[in-house]
Amino acid sequence: MIKKSVLLLLILSTTLSFSQTASNQVAIEELNAAINYVNLPKETNSIAVERGPYLQSGTPTSVVVKWRTDVGTESVVNYGTQLSSLSKNETNTTLTTEHEVTVSGLEPNTKYYFNIGNKSKVLSESVSGDMYIITAPTAGTKQFVRAWILGDAGTANNNQRNVRDAYYKYVDAASENTGKTDMMLFLGDNAYSTGTDVEYQNAFFDIYDDMFKKSVAWSCLGNHDGKTADSAKQSGPYYDIFTFPTAAEAGGTASGTEAYYSFDYANIHFIILDSHHTSRDIGGAMYNWTQTDIQNTTQDWIVTLFHHPIYTKGSHDSDTEDRLIEMRNNFMPMMEDNGVDLILNGHSHSYERSYFLNGHYGFANTFNPDEITSGGHTVGATGSGDGKAEGDGIYQKTNETTEGAVYITTGSAGKISGGDLDHQAMSVSLNKLGSCVMEVEDDGLGGQNLTVKFIRENDKVDDYFTINKKGIALKSKAVTHKSDVLSYNSDNGLVSIIVNTNERLKKVKFYNNIGKKVKKSRKAVVDVAKMTKGTYVVEIITNKNTYTESVIIE
Amino acid sequence: MNRKLIVIAFLFLSVQMFSHGNLSERILIKTIEILENPNNYRLYYERGFLYQQHVDYEEALADYVKSESLGNSNKDLKLRMAEIHYLTEDYCNALAQIEIYLDVDSIDVIAKKLEAKILFKLKAYEKSIKAYRYVMNNMIDVRPEDILEYANIILAENNKNYEGALDVIEFGLQELGPNTLSLQLKKLEFLKEFGQVENAIEQYNYFILQYKRKEFWYYKKAKYLSEIDKPFEAKIALKLATSAIANLDSKYQHMTSIIELKDQIKNLESLNNQKL
């Protein structure tokens, strides 16, 4: 049992020592926190929350709440849409120090206040209402989205705090959607130097505690996380701390592993890859999964994140390092062919942001800034510009011109490490501390803008760009139910067969979406009202010809 | 001493000139530490691991050997040496090293898995299966990659043992979730290889029913049906593929992958029509 005076001395000593490297303000905050802690009335059997709560795997109807206590106890999450009435709860009676509770049955796009505790009492709450869950919008919803992007943040020093504080100021001062952070996207190396549990506490939980209580955190594995995390066993601090969807719980395709996974948020599809431990081979499990996943999405935007950068000349070199080259050569052709819009990487401790690219998989010196139709690697009239409305013009995607993606290496949320910073594919290369914010919002013309800003530790926005997509969520055209030989009226549920006057209808056969014959008729008008909705192939046989048509029964 | 300083200065200049990221810098720092403490086996081990991460396997092995000669008897050194030998395809030495490691720690699943992989490369399939079975039974969280590797080893041991391989896949689907993509894909591959035509078609249907966007699956199914001389069924699948594309959002219709798919459908239709 440590006496209070000894504890206070220890804390003072720690704070004093810390203040030699940290700012006075931080030292004062630490000291106040310590004094408050010491003055708290203590119960001999009191239970303290040592970590969290923090939010994981958010979906439109559920979220995972995790926290750690110093003593094993039950897990209770009380929640409700009114702060004054947290009338619902999820309870797990198993005694544990590592609490993980899935709150389900929620409404999409809805704010729920919550607190955590055990069966006896509340252990952590926010009386000011700063602990809440905002459930994800239903997939496909077109609305404002803001994501905070942090690469290589985990230094646990003032650099990291300053970068954090700059974002907090930014979001609190935002003229629209003030204070709203829909998600945090970590690009790996979240806790230096080896991603241990203690390092995660210092560089992750202690730093972003406030945000973790109201915003879902997602991450990919960095090489420093990988030193203690074992992807082969999915064990170690990284895998213990995070809970990611493995069975497409948040949309996308079931990967069966937390090493790589995907999720939907509003009309954005996020694909998270493991560029460190998992095989990056074409035809490997992660490649096959990625291809299936990206070819299955119907979302308007596709964003991918993984640790090792496609292009960098910072503290790493994408011309010489195998993981970087393999991700570029193996994954990017396939992902670009399927419409990826934004690629977020870390690893190099700098900020490097590309032009609007397509088809550049070689070394830096093979980059050609010409437009792709002229044999180059940039897309559209503005593709080789800075992507700024008041500069060279924003980057543009339409339903007809679907190529073009911006690659960002943003690994300076905790430290900067220099490098040549002269990759030819980059529009901007900065050896500056900072994090990024991605904002997707209506352009007022039926499309959307995706804007990414680089927010320095000194609160300045040193770079930004915008990708505009026109005609978002517009269907290509009304489904054709009429052809020369077939018409379908969904109002009366009738399919009418029209044959030439010199032909005689013999038979009509309907095949469902797995090619099974489900209906046949000899009549020219077929009642399909009771058939299951879906796509059918209709084979029309006359005395002279066989016609094959498709029809969607609605 | 002066010589040391010259070497250090040279190394500093080298890293400025030839720096390939912070691994290079860390190797340099470790090299300087070694210059100061040339008989410290820990430093050689640490630099060897940096070389290994930097894919400089020859240098990594040289450091590991030096570390060992200086008295490093830690079992982890043996694991690293086994990894290097495995990565450089020196499977006999890899096996020798991993066996020494396993003599000290016979329950380490990582080492056991490496042993299974080495034995597989040495075509000692029965021993490889035994080692991998241990891994499967003791691993905390199995990954899809583990299941796929295990199934491949079973087939390597006996290329007719499709029931065994499929059992492993089914085990994986139970463990990891019934829709785990890479396992369902491997199941399809096995069913096709083993000539289980009806089951393979059912497996294509599983993908068609499971996924929102079906155009790629319709095409893949059509290709298979055409290959196994079911041209009419292939024709239906191709029609469904075309219909699925026509009903995609416009932006998807203009993506390179879909444009290529349309070409593939057209070519297959042409080939398949000759069989009708």
Side-chain angles (χ1 to χ4, degrees):
Chain A
M1 185 73 77
I2 299 172
K3 288 181 180 176
K4 274 187 180 179
S5 57
V6 176
L7 182 60
L8 188 55
L9 271 174
L10 274 171
I11 292 163
L12 280 169
S13 159
T14 308
T15 309
L16 192 61
S17 162
F18 181 68
S19 69
Q20 290 169 3
T21 53
S23 71
N24 288 340
Q25 182 59 39
V26 173
I28 290 164
E29 285 172 11
E30 295 279 330
L31 186 57
N32 286 338
I35 291 166
N36 287 339
Y37 173 72
V38 172
N39 287 339
L40 281 173
K42 290 286 177 188
E43 294 174 27
T44 51
N45 60 347
S46 67
I47 297 170
V49 176
E50 294 187 328
R51 173 178 292 178
Y54 60 105
L55 308 177
Q56 294 282 279
S57 284
T59 80
T61 57
S62 67
V63 70
V64 175
V65 184
K66 297 180 83 170
W67 70 96
R68 173 182 287 174
T69 50
D70 59 346
V71 178
T73 186
E74 307 93 1
S75 311
V76 179
V77 176
N78 301 297
Y79 64 98
T81 53
Q82 301 295 320
L83 181 58
S84 57
S85 176
L86 307 184
S87 54
K88 296 181 177 175
N89 73 77
E90 289 284 347
T91 300
N92 185 338
T93 55
T94 307
L95 302 186
T96 181
T97 57
E98 303 298 329
H99 305 267
E100 179 170 345
V101 175
T102 301
V103 181
S104 54
L106 306 176
E107 291 295 318
N109 231 353
T110 303
K111 187 173 187 176
Y112 293 88
Y113 297 96
F114 74 99
N115 64 37
I116 55 165
N118 57 18
K119 288 180 79 175
S120 309
K121 62 179 182 179
V122 170
L123 295 173
S124 180
E125 64 182 333
S126 169
V127 290
S128 57
D130 285 327
M131 265 169 65
Y132 56 80
I133 301 154
I134 298 179
T135 49
T138 306
T141 304
K142 191 177 154 189
Q143 68 173 51
F144 178 86
V145 176
R146 179 181 287 136
W148 184 20
I149 301 152
L150 295 127
D152 303 65
T155 52
N157 62 20
N158 279 352
N159 287 340
Q160 186 182 10
R161 290 188 189 89
N162 291 339
V163 169
R164 172 200 65 187
D165 293 343
Y167 174 78
Y168 285 175
K169 283 181 205 166
Y170 167 84
V171 76
D172 286 342
S175 56
E176 291 180 52
N177 299 289
T178 310
K180 185 174 191 276
T181 301
D182 293 297
M183 70 189 79
M184 302 172 78
L185 300 174
F186 286 92
L187 304 179
D189 287 3
N190 306 323
Y192 287 104
S193 61
T194 56
T196 63
D197 188 79
V198 171
E199 288 167 346
Y200 256 93
Q201 186 63 45
N202 296 334
F204 194 70
F205 293 104
D206 289 351
I207 301 285
Y208 306 113
D209 187 47
D210 290 344
M211 190 60 81
F212 286 149
K213 289 172 177 163
K214 55 189 179 186
S215 182
V216 174
W218 305 89
S219 183
C220 61
L221 182 80
N223 54 305
H224 285 268
D225 307 303
K227 288 179 180 176
T228 49
D230 183 355
S231 295
K233 293 196 294 181
Q234 292 181 91
S235 62
Y238 176 86
Y239 288 104
D240 295 340
I241 286 164
F242 292 112
T243 298
F244 298 133
T246 61
E249 297 95 329
T253 300
S255 67
T257 172
E258 289 183 288
Y260 49 90
Y261 59 94
S262 62
F263 66 95
D264 289 321
Y265 191 95
N267 61 344
I268 311 168
H269 186 61
F270 291 90
I271 301 173
I272 287 76
L273 301 176
D274 171 17
S275 57
H276 183 58
H277 274 153
T278 301
S279 167
R280 298 163 295 279
D281 291 344
I282 292 174
M286 184 165 74
Y287 180 93
N288 289 339
W289 172 83
T290 307
Q291 185 175 43
T292 300
D293 185 67
I294 199 169
Q295 290 182 342
N296 190 45
T297 188
T298 53
Q299 294 282 66
D300 292 315
W301 297 95
I302 301 171
V303 176
T304 187
L305 45 140
F306 45 90
H307 186 65
H308 295 84
I310 297 300
Y311 310 114
T312 182
K313 288 284 182 181
S315 50
H316 291 273
D317 187 336
S318 55
D319 284 353
T320 61
E321 296 176 42
D322 59 342
R323 287 181 172 87
L324 290 66
I325 293 168
E326 286 171 14
M327 290 304 290
R328 183 170 70 248
N329 289 343
N330 297 350
F331 277 72
M332 294 328 300
M334 177 266 288
M335 297 189 85
E336 285 187 346
D337 283 354
N338 287 286
V340 69
D341 300 297
L342 180 66
I343 298 90
L344 301 169
N345 306 133
H347 202 40
S348 270
H349 304 139
S350 49
Y351 173 80
E352 298 167 271
R353 191 269 290 179
S354 79
Y355 299 106
F356 200 43
L357 305 183
N358 188 76
H360 176 52
Y361 313 122
F363 294 145
N365 62 10
T366 65
F367 176 72
N368 180 347
D370 291 346
E371 218 270 324
I372 49 172
T373 51
S374 306
H377 298 120
T378 63
V379 178
T382 58
S384 58
D386 61 10
K388 295 177 170 63
E390 69 274 25
D392 302 324
I394 61 175
Y395 303 135
Q396 189 69 60
K397 277 187 152 181
T398 67
N399 284 338
E400 287 71 39
T401 54
T402 59
E403 294 104 342
V406 175
Y407 292 75
I408 308 178
T409 299
T410 175
S412 61
K415 62 177 168 183
I416 49 174
S417 302
D420 294 337
L421 295 170
D422 60 354
H423 198 293
Q424 285 94 323
M426 293 297 170
S427 171
V428 178
S429 297
L430 301 170
N431 187 35
K432 304 290 184 190
L433 288 165
S435 63
C436 288
V437 57
M438 180 190 83
E439 293 169 327
V440 175
E441 57 192 337
D442 283 358
D443 65 0
L445 301 166
Q448 280 191 316
N449 288 328
L450 181 155
T451 299
V452 178
K453 298 170 189 168
F454 177 61
I455 303 171
R456 289 272 308 280
E457 85 289 4
N458 60 8
D459 307 340
K460 291 180 180 168
V461 174
D462 267 18
D463 181 46
Y464 80 91
F465 67 89
T466 298
I467 305 172
N468 176 263
K469 276 195 182 181
K470 289 188 187 300
I472 276 188
L474 286 179
K475 294 285 179 189
S476 56
K477 54 189 174 183
V479 176
T480 303
H481 296 290
K482 188 170 181 183
S483 69
D484 290 342
V485 290
L486 179 150
S487 70
Y488 165 62
N489 185 339
S490 59
D491 290 337
N492 58 18
L494 296 177
V495 166
S496 302
I497 309 298
I498 309 121
V499 294
N500 293 329
T501 48
N502 60 345
E503 287 183 68
R504 180 171 52 82
L505 179 67
K506 290 182 73 177
K507 207 174 284 181
V508 183
K509 298 176 186 175
F510 288 77
Y511 297 87
N512 69 6
N513 61 354
I514 57 169
K516 187 179 172 188
K517 187 168 71 182
V518 290
K519 192 176 184 75
K520 61 181 179 181
S521 174
R522 293 179 184 279
K523 296 177 182 173
V525 177
V526 184
D527 185 351
V528 295
K530 290 181 181 172
M531 286 172 68
T532 308
K533 290 176 183 176
T535 304
Y536 293 84
V537 170
V538 186
E539 188 185 27
I540 300 154
I541 304 163
T542 72
N543 59 334
K544 292 185 178 173
N545 285 305
T546 298
Y547 305 93
T548 312
E549 295 290 329
S550 63
V551 62
I552 297 174
I553 306 292
E554 295 175 322
Chain B
M1 190 63 190
N2 282 343
R3 193 162 162 263
K4 260 185 196 171
L5 279 172
I6 291 167
V7 172
I8 290 168
F10 173 76
L11 289 170
F12 266 120
L13 284 172
S14 302
V15 82
Q16 295 297 320
M17 290 170 66
F18 307 113
S19 174
H20 289 162
N22 70 1
L23 265 179
S24 306
E25 288 167 19
R26 289 166 64 197
I27 289 168
L28 171 68
I29 291 164
K30 204 56 73 180
T31 302
I32 293 167
E33 287 181 50
I34 287 171
L35 280 169
E36 295 295 326
N37 301 281
N39 295 316
N40 185 330
Y41 65 70
R42 183 181 55 81
L43 294 175
Y44 286 97
Y45 173 75
E46 289 170 354
R47 188 175 68 175
F49 189 48
L50 290 171
Y51 275 129
Q52 186 174 341
Q53 290 174 294
H54 204 253
V55 204
D56 293 330
Y57 297 139
E58 208 173 306
E59 289 85 348
L61 186 59
D63 271 0
Y64 291 152
V65 169
K66 180 74 176 172
S67 181
E68 189 172 40
S69 72
L70 289 171
N72 188 353
S73 57
N74 193 307
K75 62 176 181 164
D76 290 344
L77 178 66
K78 292 293 173 189
L79 180 61
R80 296 284 172 239
M81 291 170 89
E83 284 172 351
I84 292 289
H85 286 307
Y86 179 78
L87 289 166
T88 53
E89 300 180 4
D90 181 359
Y91 301 121
C92 288
N93 275 319
L95 185 63
Q97 298 294 345
I98 203 67
E99 281 180 347
I100 295 170
Y101 180 96
L102 288 166
D103 281 345
V104 181
D105 184 353
S106 63
I107 59 168
D108 184 323
V109 277
I110 295 293
K112 211 65 183 162
K113 191 173 167 188
L114 181 58
E115 183 194 30
K117 290 163 81 160
I118 295 165
L119 289 165
F120 176 73
K121 292 290 185 184
L122 291 169
K123 300 187 178 175
Y125 297 127
E126 279 187 38
K127 286 181 180 174
S128 176
I129 289 171
K130 190 181 168 193
Y132 224 110
R133 192 174 298 129
Y134 175 87
V135 174
M136 285 291 142
N137 292 335
N138 291 281
M139 194 174 274
I140 298 167
D141 287 304
V142 179
R143 283 187 68 183
E145 285 83 349
D146 303 320
I147 303 291
L148 298 175
E149 196 163 36
Y150 188 32
N152 284 336
I153 292 171
I154 284 176
L155 276 179
E157 195 265 336
N158 176 2
N159 64 9
K160 292 188 173 63
N161 187 11
Y162 60 88
E163 281 185 12
L166 281 169
D167 282 349
V168 170
I169 298 296
E170 291 298 340
F171 165 78
L173 290 168
Q174 282 172 25
E175 289 287 309
L176 304 177
N179 297 316
T180 301
L181 185 274
S182 54
L183 301 185
Q184 290 288 4
L185 278 179
K186 185 57 83 174
K187 182 176 173 182
L188 173 64
E189 184 186 316
F190 284 165
L191 290 170
K192 284 162 65 177
E193 278 181 20
F194 306 143
Q196 293 195 12
V197 172
E198 289 309 314
N199 287 338
I201 292 170
E202 278 306 305
Q203 186 66 3
Y204 277 112
N205 291 342
Y206 157 80
F207 287 117
I208 288 165
L209 296 172
Q210 177 67 22
Y211 287 95
K212 269 184 295 191
R213 285 176 55 189
K214 305 176 191 300
E215 62 274 12
F216 291 98
W217 298 113
Y218 283 138
Y219 169 73
K220 287 172 188 169
K221 181 182 174 186
K223 192 162 180 275
Y224 177 63
L225 290 168
S226 187
E227 282 167 3
I228 59 169
D229 285 329
K230 289 182 177 282
F232 179 77
E233 289 85 347
K235 181 183 158 187
I236 299 289
L238 284 168
K239 194 74 188 172
L240 286 163
T242 304
S243 173
I245 290 172
N247 288 293
L248 281 174
D249 272 6
S250 177
K251 61 177 177 288
Y252 291 108
Q253 292 187 32
H254 291 91
M255 280 180 191
T256 308
S257 59
I258 294 297
I259 292 166
E260 286 174 359
L261 181 63
K262 281 180 188 172
D263 284 344
Q264 289 170 327
I265 289 169
K266 202 173 166 186
N267 291 337
L268 184 57
E269 269 176 344
S270 173
L271 282 171
N272 192 61
N273 284 342
Q274 293 169 24
K275 297 181 182 178
L276 284 167

